[in-house]
Amino acid sequence: MTEIAEIYKSRLANLDGWRDIGVEPYANKVEVTHHAGDLQKKYADIEAGVETGDEVTVAGRIMSVRNSGMFIDLQDHTGKIQIFSHKQSLAPKYMDTLKLYDLGDIITVTGKVRRTPRNELTINSEHIQLLSKSLQPLPEKHHGMTDIELRYRKRHIDLTDNEISKDVFIKRSKIITAIRQTMLNEGFLEVETPMMHPIPGGAVAKPFVTHHLALDQQLYLRIAPELYLKRLIVGGISDKIFEIGRCFRNEGLSPKHNPEFTSIEAYQAHANYEDMMDLVEKTVQEAVRAVHDGSTKVTYKEKEIDFGGNWPRKSMTELVKEKTGIDFLKVTDPEDAIKKGREIGLDVPDGSNWGQVVEIAFDEKVEDTLVQPIHVTDLPMDISPLAKAKKDNPLLTERFESFVNGWEIANAFSELNDPFDQYRRFKAQAEQKDAGDDEAHHFDEDFIETLEFGMPPTGGLGIGLDRLVMLLTDSHNIRDVIAFPTMRPAAAASLVTRMDSES
RNA sequence: GAUCGCUUAGCUCAGCCGGUAGAGCAACUGACUUUUAAUCAGUAGGUCGAGGGUUCGAAUCCCUCAGCGAUCACCA
């Protein structure tokens, strides 16, 4: 017999012990008056040995036991507090039950608050009751669960004993709230658009495919909400709209990529990409302040990043010129650009267009150096199929990407609103698709029809939330900021199931 | 997808020049009772990720596979 089964049987015996004395081991709700962390704050100043006489009821999980149940460390979502059980204050019928408790059990305790002579804030239990029996053992108490795979697969265990992990997810929530609140304060209307699309669009990516039975129709999980948000702009529900939601891309996993991830997209009619830069700064700064006590400074991997103030705005070609000495605005023939790029050691594929060469130069020579926040503007038309061209230079678009720590955290542009141009660009994408590019855009006639009704000049913005959370919590893997990251399936080990099948 | 690395008790980890598997915590039995990783005595717990090979003998060496991680490529 395995050890885990021994532990299970011992706990099952205790569970039966509770039933023997007429206590249901999975109780109904009880009234909780206080939380551990709040009590620690409230009584922070009382001295060792002081008994307050204040009666409280708390509830939480047993994290450790000393002196055969005399001392229990109880943990709730706010913190920990010690429970003291002694025959002086606890009736014999409760004293007798102390031996039935196991680590991990969820209990409720009522009693008076005191600080022990050893200076530990403590509740003298007068009433103690089991709320939920724990049958599975918790991780080792000193080191906790360090196996990173288990932490991702068993987040409920990770959260019970890992303060850092818990803190990250609380901060993630605060960041989303701050961004939502900033958007609302700026007059944006929060909207929802479909996650199941008949035609995937709005980005260049491979989609997940699913099927609707009743309609007998193929559907795609959205790779971006963009085209539907633009439909709402055309409809004029509001000049300013935003959506916070999940996108799905059927691509590789990495420390910076999860197949489902959260984006914030905002669209503003009668605005352009420059207005979007202001919006990025506002929302991101509020998010930073929300989790850094009002400061805009963050430390990521020992580097200090200051999100405050107005971020510099520099064009992509200018940045490339600074780092490589090549002014691609003066080398606009694709063949010449390829040649120039290769001269400085860039890995440029044959047949690249001008914009692709500029992008490669930027990726290889500039990107990593952009540690402090910056808006990289005027991206090439060739790599910006949904962005409006610059008035004075058709090679470039009114588009920018915001970089922090060498990562793109936002992407925005003045949206293409010309149905003829959109038609041509979809057609070009469709041809690429026929030629075997499975990431190319589908031809979305319905969207062109939408634009034919007239979309006002509009600024659009997308922010990758998960990476922002990584930056603001000093997390180095996207899986650390997603509660249940995508993993290969692993066998569960329910003891109830196993014992049932063995008997 | 490529390269490298990891996988030993429920958890955290030793053991790896090949010679029948070890500690701490958790668990169990008992002692003790104002502790703070409580302490003390004892008990139990393992298909060493899976499969194959070399060998008299494999946790240890070799091969295949799986899961996970790091880096790279695509991408946010």
Side-chain angles (χ1 to χ4, degrees):
Chain A
M1 185 186 294
T2 62
E3 169 66 7
I4 184 72
E6 290 285 0
I7 293 174
Y8 173 82
K9 285 203 164 171
S10 145
R11 291 183 169 217
L12 198 63
N14 285 342
L15 183 136
D16 288 339
W18 286 106
R19 291 197 161 124
D20 288 345
I21 59 171
V23 174
E24 166 54 41
Y26 299 99
N28 291 57
K29 153 188 161 162
V30 296
E31 287 305 321
V32 175
T33 64
H34 293 78
H35 297 288
D38 301 339
L39 292 171
Q40 295 287 0
K41 273 182 215 152
K42 182 174 176 188
Y43 294 107
D45 295 332
I46 67 168
E47 287 175 15
V50 171
E51 311 212 0
T52 68
D54 298 345
E55 187 173 283
V56 297
T57 298
V58 297
R61 195 182 289 278
I62 297 176
M63 296 307 284
S64 72
V65 175
R66 292 178 293 283
N67 298 45
S68 310
M70 179 179 275
F71 298 97
I72 289 172
D73 286 339
L74 180 146
Q75 174 178 290
D76 64 19
H77 77 279
T78 64
K80 282 186 188 173
I81 192 162
Q82 177 169 272
I83 307 300
F84 177 69
S85 294
H86 195 273
K87 58 189 174 191
Q88 283 171 1
S89 60
L90 190 62
K93 69 166 184 169
Y94 295 124
M95 284 298 290
D96 292 343
T97 65
L98 288 181
K99 62 181 187 295
L100 295 176
Y101 290 108
D102 292 302
L103 288 188
D105 285 357
I106 295 173
I107 62 171
T108 181
V109 174
T110 300
K112 294 194 175 68
V113 178
R114 69 174 169 117
R115 192 173 285 284
T116 66
R118 305 285 184 104
N119 205 31
E120 187 73 24
L121 194 69
T122 298
I123 298 171
N124 277 354
S125 69
E126 291 161 20
H127 171 99
I128 182 165
Q129 182 195 332
L130 179 68
L131 294 179
S132 186
K133 189 71 198 158
S134 171
L135 300 173
Q136 294 265 13
L138 288 172
E140 201 264 347
K141 68 178 171 184
H142 313 311
H143 303 90
M145 189 166 63
T146 61
D147 184 312
I148 206 152
E149 176 186 349
L150 278 180
R151 289 185 36 213
Y152 297 147
R153 288 190 191 280
K154 310 278 183 191
R155 189 67 83 182
H156 50 288
I157 306 175
D158 180 36
L159 290 169
T160 60
D161 79 338
N162 188 345
E163 277 297 317
I164 295 168
S165 187
K166 187 172 149 188
D167 185 54
V168 164
F169 292 108
I170 291 170
K171 281 181 173 160
R172 181 185 173 107
S173 179
K174 287 181 175 170
I175 288 165
I176 293 174
T177 301
I179 290 173
R180 171 175 283 121
Q181 196 55 54
T182 308
M183 290 283 184
L184 294 173
N185 290 348
E186 292 294 317
F188 282 78
L189 182 75
E190 182 163 13
V191 298
E192 295 174 284
T193 62
M195 295 209 189
M196 294 192 293
H197 294 180
I199 298 172
V204 177
K206 286 192 276 283
F208 286 92
V209 186
T210 187
H211 184 260
H212 190 279
L213 288 174
L215 296 175
D216 188 21
Q217 180 194 345
Q218 181 158 288
L219 288 166
Y220 302 87
L221 299 187
R222 71 176 177 194
I223 53 177
E226 170 150 347
L227 300 186
Y228 285 91
L229 289 167
K230 286 179 182 171
R231 287 178 170 99
L232 292 177
I233 287 290
V234 169
I237 180 174
S238 167
D239 272 359
K240 298 177 174 182
I241 59 173
F242 76 104
E243 177 168 15
I244 298 176
R246 213 65 60 79
C247 296
F248 308 86
R249 297 192 183 171
N250 207 340
E251 289 163 352
L253 289 76
S254 86
K256 280 166 71 182
H257 298 87
N258 195 63
E260 53 180 304
F261 63 98
T262 301
S263 80
I264 295 143
E265 288 211 1
Y267 290 82
Q268 181 173 352
H270 309 297
N272 67 7
Y273 73 135
E274 289 176 319
D275 301 303
M276 294 298 105
M277 293 185 211
D278 298 337
L279 188 59
V280 170
E281 288 168 18
K282 257 181 213 146
T283 52
V284 171
Q285 283 166 2
E286 285 308 313
V288 179
R289 288 195 186 99
V291 293
H292 285 85
D293 298 321
S295 164
T296 56
K297 288 183 182 157
V298 168
T299 302
Y300 190 85
K301 283 193 175 177
E302 270 110 58
K303 280 174 293 200
E304 184 172 279
I305 296 170
D306 189 351
F307 286 89
N310 291 321
W311 304 354
R313 304 176 179 191
K314 273 196 179 172
S315 78
M316 183 173 273
T317 47
E318 176 65 26
L319 285 162
V320 167
K321 190 169 105 186
E322 282 176 16
K323 292 292 173 195
T324 68
I326 301 174
D327 185 354
F328 278 100
L329 289 179
K330 292 182 179 151
V331 189
T332 56
D333 178 77
E335 286 307 318
D336 292 348
I338 291 170
K339 220 166 92 191
K340 274 276 184 192
R342 285 175 179 168
E343 276 171 21
I344 56 164
L346 299 180
D347 186 16
V348 185
D350 287 326
S352 297
N353 58 38
W354 178 79
Q356 285 167 333
V357 177
V358 174
E359 186 181 31
I360 291 165
F362 176 81
D363 286 350
E364 293 188 16
K365 300 292 183 185
V366 181
E367 197 171 65
D368 289 346
T369 70
L370 303 179
V371 175
Q372 299 303 321
I374 182 172
H375 302 299
V376 177
T377 67
D378 301 347
L379 274 66
M381 168 72 73
D382 294 327
I383 57 167
S384 310
L386 295 166
K388 208 184 241 308
K390 292 224 21 146
K391 251 193 253 173
D392 55 358
N393 188 345
L395 284 174
L396 304 177
T397 58
E398 291 194 359
R399 175 186 178 193
F400 72 92
E401 291 181 333
S402 306
F403 281 82
V404 178
N405 189 45
W407 303 351
E408 178 200 332
I409 61 153
N411 178 20
F413 31 90
S414 303
E415 301 292 340
L416 182 62
N417 61 347
D418 173 347
F420 299 98
D421 197 355
Q422 187 69 72
Y423 173 81
R424 286 192 293 274
R425 298 204 202 181
F426 273 162
K427 209 170 169 191
Q429 290 283 319
E431 278 161 14
Q432 280 183 38
K433 194 165 202 59
D434 290 343
D437 181 354
D438 53 4
E439 290 192 356
H441 257 280
H442 293 239
F443 189 91
D444 191 340
E445 187 168 351
D446 187 76
F447 182 66
I448 294 172
E449 185 201 311
T450 303
L451 289 185
E452 285 172 340
F453 283 89
M455 182 171 87
T458 297
L461 162 68
I463 297 176
L465 179 87
D466 305 280
R467 287 185 185 172
L468 185 61
V469 175
M470 287 173 71
L471 282 172
L472 302 193
T473 58
D474 202 12
S475 300
H476 304 160
N477 191 312
I478 196 167
R479 290 177 163 181
D480 294 324
V481 302
I482 294 174
F484 302 99
T486 305
M487 304 281 281
R488 283 196 167 85
S494 155
L495 294 169
V496 174
T497 308
R498 196 197 306 180
M499 301 312 279
D500 192 41
S501 63
E502 278 176 10
S503 61

